[in-house]
Amino acid sequence: MKKYLVILVVSFICVFLAACSEDTSTSNQQEKTDDTTTETNNANEQEKDETPFELSIMLNLHTPEIPQDKLELLLEEKTNTNLEIQWVPDSNYGERVNTAFSTNTLPHAFLVKTDQFIQFKDAVRDGQFWEIGPYLSEFENLKKLRESTLKNSEVDGKLYSLYMGRPLSRGGIIYRKDWADNLGLEIPTTTDEFYEMLRAFTEDDPDENGQNDTIGLTDRGNLGTFNTVSTWFGAPNRWGELDGQLLPDFMFSAYKETLEFFRDLHSNGYMNKDAPVTSKTDQQEMMKNGTAGAYIGSMQDVHGINNDAVNINPDVVFDVHNYIEGPNGEYQTRSIPGYGSLIMFPKQAIADEAELRKVLAFFDYLMTPEGANLIIWGVEGEHYEVVDGKAKILDQDKFDTEIKPYTPFEIGEPLTNGRYEAFHDYEPAEKANELYKDNDNYVVDDPTVGLDSETYSQNAGTLDQIITDATYQFILGEIEMDGFDEAIEKWKNAGGNKVIEEYNQ
């Protein structure tokens, strides 16, 4: 009996152990199967994540030719994207943007200039663009953008764009110092002295070649030069307070004084006769080839102007200057809202939040020091080197061909994106950077930044064109001051009175 009991117990134990062994084997096999499935899923997910994102962007092109794709390929590699960049010549960029918007063919992201941004506010309110403010905190670099500048680009307290940072004012004069020295002229510090310089550059043979082949000022057709000078004369920055209400600058007496100033320059031949139809390229060419002696605009333009000019005349000498007092004895200069252009994100091109995050991730990379230096300076050791903590261009022609056109890609500014500032062994270019900072002490803000006028948003192009046309017509001698006043009345009747009312409200 005991023998059978022992056999029974042993048999039970064997069956139990066999069952445990089978369960363990099954469990292990299941774990292996689960692990294999997980690895397969992870691999598929990883493969999915590594698929380059197809990203389309439209930017304005300031150079004569589309850049080589060297930098584009580097950006694709760094950001895991396939880029489709639509390069549009700056001269007709605004028109191209309007066409793409009206035909629903805008890309994922596009650059909009500050003056055109106003025209998109209604579309923003209509829900046609992504509000990106709530997403910035998700991105390590985009969240570093300056709060004050972001606020200046908001619509109804909400953010729909990324900004390209700019100094508050880059305005000043680039002039032929060698011409001034030849004529015994000091740096002009008043509008009268500046006028005398332009006269002398035209009439007194500043290049000493015995020919009547020079003019004082080179200008182009966007009123940029005029607006800078009008501020010297005491005009406000686009809008100002007069008799207790906000009014546009062209209703101020200083604007009309500037009209007379430019009409005098034009009628005497102290500036280029075809200024209203002159491009920026042609405007700068007159400085490079020795036709004109003064240029009003971004003082840092002196670097590129000099680089080309010395190939024509190795003895050319330029200098920069900012401080010009008006008749009231004060110097002032227009400020911008802290940005030069904006990047916007249309819903017609970006399907959902997931796709928007992929687009923003690309721009987040551009705000890293690596990304910012890449698009502004190129590849270290090939396009630039670091000297005294600044970027020095190694080969200007190579830089202009491969890197310079990508400048509109920049998001933020050196303070927020950490890129190098420019090293200049050319003294006027270094001086220009210092004068930018000096201008901060004299800037006049636009009081309508942050204010809204629905009428202006809808009719900005038409209203602005009325005044632009009348300004040039007066300068060219085609109308008198009463004709300019008639244009103001036309502006009022075309919606201007409503704009004044809405801004003041």
Side-chain angles (χ1 to χ4, degrees):
M1 185 68 179
K2 289 182 179 180
K3 178 179 178 181
Y4 292 118
L5 183 60
V6 171
I7 292 172
L8 183 62
V9 171
V10 170
S11 299
F12 175 78
I13 292 174
C14 289
V15 170
F16 177 77
L17 290 176
C20 288
S21 177
E22 183 177 350
D23 287 345
T24 301
S25 175
T26 302
S27 177
N28 288 341
Q29 183 62 37
Q30 183 64 44
E31 287 180 9
K32 288 180 181 179
T33 301
D34 291 343
D35 288 344
T36 302
T37 302
T38 300
E39 288 174 4
T40 301
N41 290 338
N42 287 342
N44 291 338
E45 190 66 28
Q46 186 176 8
E47 182 179 351
K48 181 180 178 181
D49 290 343
E50 289 179 355
T51 302
F53 175 56
E54 302 287 339
L55 176 60
S56 57
I57 302 174
M58 182 161 65
L59 300 170
N60 56 335
L61 183 67
H62 285 285
T63 55
E65 298 180 358
I66 293 175
Q68 298 177 10
D69 64 357
K70 180 182 183 68
L71 185 54
E72 182 177 343
L73 295 174
L74 285 172
L75 286 173
E76 289 180 335
E77 177 185 343
K78 296 289 186 180
T79 59
N80 193 32
T81 55
N82 284 330
L83 292 175
E84 178 194 336
I85 305 174
Q86 302 174 30
W87 296 106
V88 181
D90 185 69
S91 58
N92 65 334
Y93 184 78
E95 179 182 348
R96 176 70 173 275
V97 167
N98 286 336
T99 300
F101 177 69
S102 62
T103 57
N104 289 333
T105 55
L106 284 171
H108 290 110
F110 72 101
L111 179 144
V112 59
K113 298 182 179 181
T114 52
D115 55 349
Q116 196 172 23
F117 177 58
I118 297 171
Q119 301 174 32
F120 280 106
K121 285 190 174 182
D122 278 347
V124 166
R125 295 188 177 102
D126 195 37
Q128 297 185 52
F129 292 92
W130 282 97
E131 180 194 355
I132 64 168
Y135 300 91
L136 294 192
S137 61
E138 300 177 19
F139 297 92
E140 181 179 354
N141 302 292
L142 293 179
K143 66 183 180 182
K144 298 176 183 176
L145 289 165
R146 289 187 306 194
E147 287 294 332
S148 59
T149 304
L150 291 175
K151 187 173 180 60
N152 284 338
S153 61
E154 289 180 345
V155 178
D156 300 334
K158 297 180 180 180
L159 185 69
Y160 296 85
S161 59
L162 299 175
Y163 72 82
M164 175 194 286
R166 285 288 181 267
L168 292 178
S169 173
R170 299 184 292 172
I173 304 168
I174 300 171
Y175 70 98
R176 285 290 296 268
K177 186 178 185 305
D178 52 340
W179 287 10
D181 290 344
N182 289 342
L183 300 174
L185 297 174
E186 299 294 330
I187 297 174
T189 58
T190 67
T191 49
D192 287 342
E193 291 174 358
F194 182 61
Y195 179 91
E196 172 56 22
M197 170 180 275
L198 300 183
R199 183 208 64 78
F201 279 179
T202 306
E203 298 181 343
D204 295 349
D205 192 22
D207 56 1
E208 300 180 335
N209 68 352
Q211 300 179 32
N212 184 22
D213 58 357
T214 59
I215 61 172
L217 178 68
T218 174
D219 190 14
R220 70 178 186 267
N222 68 349
L223 286 187
T225 298
F226 181 92
N227 289 333
T228 297
V229 176
S230 73
T231 312
W232 295 348
F233 272 85
N237 183 353
R238 297 188 70 247
W239 287 71
E241 186 176 344
L242 183 65
D243 298 329
Q245 65 174 335
L246 286 178
L247 293 174
D249 57 358
F250 52 82
M251 291 187 181
F252 286 70
S253 60
Y255 193 98
K256 293 186 174 181
E257 290 180 54
T258 312
L259 283 173
E260 299 283 6
F261 183 83
F262 272 84
R263 184 169 184 164
D264 197 352
L265 291 176
H266 189 272
S267 63
N268 284 298
Y270 301 160
M271 62 182 287
N272 50 315
K273 293 286 188 179
D274 59 349
V277 294
T278 298
S279 68
K280 182 176 181 178
T281 300
D282 291 338
Q283 178 196 22
Q284 291 191 358
E285 186 62 29
M286 283 183 260
M287 290 293 288
K288 297 173 183 178
N289 64 25
T291 299
Y295 169 102
I296 296 174
S298 172
M299 290 178 283
Q300 195 54 253
D301 288 347
V302 71
H303 191 274
I305 290 173
N306 179 75
N307 283 342
D308 290 341
V310 294
N311 293 326
I312 301 172
N313 176 11
D315 298 324
V316 66
V317 180
F318 294 103
D319 202 356
V320 293
H321 180 65
N322 65 332
Y323 188 97
I324 301 288
E325 292 179 357
N328 61 1
E330 296 181 1
Y331 169 58
Q332 60 180 29
T333 183
R334 283 188 170 203
S335 72
I336 64 171
Y339 56 85
S341 59
L342 301 166
I343 298 290
M344 298 185 70
F345 309 92
K347 287 186 175 179
Q348 62 182 239
I350 301 175
D352 50 35
E353 291 185 14
E355 190 169 30
L356 176 64
R357 285 185 168 93
K358 291 182 179 180
V359 176
L360 291 177
F362 173 81
F363 289 98
D364 187 67
Y365 170 75
L366 298 186
M367 269 203 70
T368 64
E370 177 188 56
N373 282 319
L374 185 62
I375 58 173
I376 297 300
W377 302 118
V379 178
E380 185 175 356
E382 181 178 353
H383 300 103
Y384 75 98
E385 63 180 351
V386 180
V387 179
D388 296 334
K390 297 182 178 182
K392 180 181 179 180
I393 296 172
L394 295 174
D395 183 328
Q396 190 67 48
D397 290 338
K398 183 179 178 67
F399 176 84
D400 289 346
T401 302
E402 297 182 358
I403 307 303
K404 186 176 180 180
Y406 289 85
T407 301
F409 266 105
E410 184 175 23
I411 302 299
E413 55 276 294
L415 178 67
T416 54
N417 61 33
R419 71 166 173 85
Y420 296 119
E421 293 190 350
F423 172 85
H424 299 291
D425 49 12
Y426 178 53
E427 184 177 347
E430 189 64 33
K431 181 179 178 181
N433 283 341
E434 296 306 312
L435 294 183
Y436 289 169
K437 299 172 185 176
D438 184 60
N439 272 345
D440 287 351
N441 299 308
Y442 306 101
V443 292
V444 177
D445 294 327
D446 175 1
T448 65
V449 171
L451 301 182
D452 264 326
S453 163
E454 182 178 354
T455 303
Y456 186 66
S457 297
Q458 294 174 345
N459 302 282
T462 300
L463 291 171
D464 289 348
Q465 197 62 51
I466 292 172
I467 301 304
T468 297
D469 289 346
T471 297
Y472 279 124
Q473 287 167 357
F474 185 89
I475 292 171
L476 298 177
E478 297 174 359
I479 61 172
E480 301 302 323
M481 195 59 76
D482 58 351
F484 186 80
D485 290 336
E486 289 175 6
I488 293 178
E489 292 303 312
K490 180 180 179 181
W491 180 88
K492 289 179 179 180
N493 294 330
N497 277 331
K498 191 66 176 176
V499 175
I500 293 174
E501 177 185 339
E502 289 167 353
Y503 274 145
N504 280 278
Q505 286 177 347

